[in-house]
Amino acid sequence: MTTELFFTILTALLAASLWIPYIVGVNTTEFEGGDQPFHRPPDQSNMLPWIHRAYRAHQNLLEQFLPFAVLVLIGQSLGVTSWWFGLLAGIFFGLRVIHAFIMTLNLMANPFRPIVFTTCWAITMAYGILLLVLANGTAA
């Protein structure tokens, strides 16, 4: 297994688990309209701030993980490898773990949160460009 595939699997497991803090929060908080919050999801403006942040951390990861994972899988299917891919995937995973914890716990002060998001976006762009360059180089 390549390093980039290993970190992509870890990121997928993180994304698959980040719903848990949100659900715990929703199920342990009383909202207007009764005790059945899943008949109609609660208005996010009525949520405790940490519950809303947990929801956003999950959504934010999903927004960035899909394009990154697709690029990793394309690279794997083409057999294009570079130590850069493993490095980028490791940094991406590490930043997403940090983001999830410090955003949910409200330790994510500006400008750190947008820096993490933008860095992960830049990693995805770099991964894709490197993939295009290397894939075209091997096709020639």
Side-chain angles (χ1 to χ4, degrees):
M1 175 184 312
T2 63
T3 304
E4 57 270 25
L5 197 55
F6 173 77
F7 281 115
T8 302
I9 291 169
L10 292 180
T11 309
L13 293 172
L14 176 65
S17 301
L18 271 183
W19 61 272
I20 296 169
Y22 170 73
I23 295 301
V24 167
V26 167
N27 281 307
T28 58
T29 304
E30 191 170 320
F31 293 97
E32 263 184 47
D35 59 354
Q36 298 295 322
F38 289 103
H39 286 200
R40 178 178 290 268
D43 180 357
Q44 290 189 14
S45 64
N46 294 333
M47 292 180 185
L48 295 173
W50 78 266
I51 300 171
H52 180 72
R53 288 191 308 271
Y55 175 79
R56 284 298 306 138
H58 185 228
Q59 294 301 307
N60 187 268
L61 174 56
L62 294 176
E63 291 165 1
Q64 287 200 316
F65 180 57
L66 178 64
F68 186 79
V70 167
L71 291 172
V72 170
L73 295 175
I74 289 170
Q76 293 292 301
S77 71
L78 294 174
V80 178
T81 61
S82 168
W83 67 272
W84 279 104
F85 289 142
L87 178 65
L88 291 171
I91 294 169
F92 185 90
F93 171 70
L95 287 174
R96 296 315 311 182
V97 168
I98 291 167
H99 180 273
F101 281 105
I102 63 179
M103 183 166 178
T104 302
L105 297 174
N106 199 27
L107 303 173
M108 181 78 76
N110 279 329
F112 190 68
R113 189 173 66 78
I115 288 172
V116 169
F117 184 88
T118 304
T119 302
C120 287
W121 171 82
I123 287 170
T124 302
M125 294 296 110
Y127 199 105
I129 291 167
L130 184 60
L131 181 59
L132 285 171
V133 168
L134 292 176
N136 284 330
T138 59

